Amino acid sequence: MADRGTAAFRCPMGDVVARKPRITDWRLVVQSRLDRVRADLAALGPPDPLDQEGQRWREAAEQQAAVVEDMITRGESRWRVVASWWSGWHIERAWRSLHEAEIAVVAAGSGFLGRLPGLKARVAENLDEDDPRRRALEELRPGEFPLPVEREIVVDALRAAFDASDFAHAGSRALRNKLIATSVVLFAVNTLLGAVGFAEPGMIPMCVGSEKLPTVCPSGRGPTGADVWLIQVLGAFGAVLSAVVLLLRRRPSLSPYVMVGYQAMIKVLLGSALAVVGVLALGAGVTTGLIAVASQAALLVWAVLLGYGQQLATRLLDSYTDRVMDQARPLPRLEEQR
């Protein structure tokens, strides 16, 4: 998510004690939904003293709305900001509380059955056709049961639908953290390979030759300390080409966890590593009879192609990420419920 500004509170001694929450896209969306919840509460009018259950739901909506407000306005210290970003607890708490507030608003009024078409559509997005809660809601006819029973059917179906969305949120965060951890490992491996190649030129041989063709090195002048770095840079460039394709085909997502940046990072780092491994394979004669490297330019082009070749491995990751993100639907379509 794009951050649009940060600030910090300072005590008289100059120590940073808290940071204002950054204005991020997910906060803007949650704030908009929270405003709608409060508008719906106000539209309910004064509470009916005879409808004690409706009054309890109204109070529950107000309490959950207060929790949402706290989550999107809370200031934290620098280290707690990092911990919150990694765990995602403030994002998921905000969404869960928002969902509960929206359920409570629906249940607080006596005219919630007028929203049945929208409620059914929302539930159908997250629950299977054979789910008994979805079937009970779809088969519900106004006046068929006492009002408390109808209210419970609606609330139970909505909670199940929102739970499915919230669990998808947690799955998206877990995938994001795995991508970050994998990127750190790949970065460490690439850095180690580059450092070893720079400190001991030739220890990781990047020169390619055969009995019929002269030996060719990335620098063109024999083994040097920059050979590994050069191959890694060219492999990363090849991976960037596939990352651009990923960016072009990626559709916008309203989930607070946006994976495309982390996917691109995996591609670039993996492309660098595979370029080194691929050039080692060329030098070892693994491709003898299939690939002939007769010049420095040919070797450098192969480094780019080998970096792009990581797409074969990361395509499965892209498909899996698409499935995870398709399940993360944090926004209830309230406009369809009206």
Side-chain angles (χ1 to χ4, degrees), residues 231-273:
I231 293 299
Q232 286 180 328
V233 169
L234 292 173
F237 173 72
V240 166
L241 299 179
S242 66
V244 170
V245 175
L246 173 69
L247 291 170
L248 291 176
R249 72 178 183 84
R250 182 67 61 203
R251 63 181 182 271
S253 173
L254 292 176
S255 172
Y257 302 111
V258 179
M259 301 297 176
V260 64
Y262 305 110
Q263 291 174 256
M265 188 183 306
I266 291 286
K267 291 176 180 292
V268 171
L269 294 172
L270 187 59
S272 294

Side-chain angles (χ1 to χ4, degrees), residues 15 17 24 37 50 79 83 151 183 192 205 212 224 250 253-254 294 328 334:
D15 296 329
V17 296
T24 50
V37 166
L50 300 179
W79 294 111
R151 177 180 280 147
S183 298
L192 180 61
K212 299 181 179 180
T224 66
R250 182 67 61 203
S253 173
L254 292 176
L334 292 186

Side-chain angles (χ1 to χ4, degrees), residues 8-31:
F9 300 105
R10 294 184 180 272
C11 64
M13 299 300 294
D15 296 329
V16 176
V17 296
R19 294 170 64 86
K20 290 183 181 179
R22 287 180 273 193
I23 304 176
T24 50
D25 291 349
W26 76 266
R27 281 189 172 90
L28 293 175
V29 175
V30 170
Q31 181 66 63

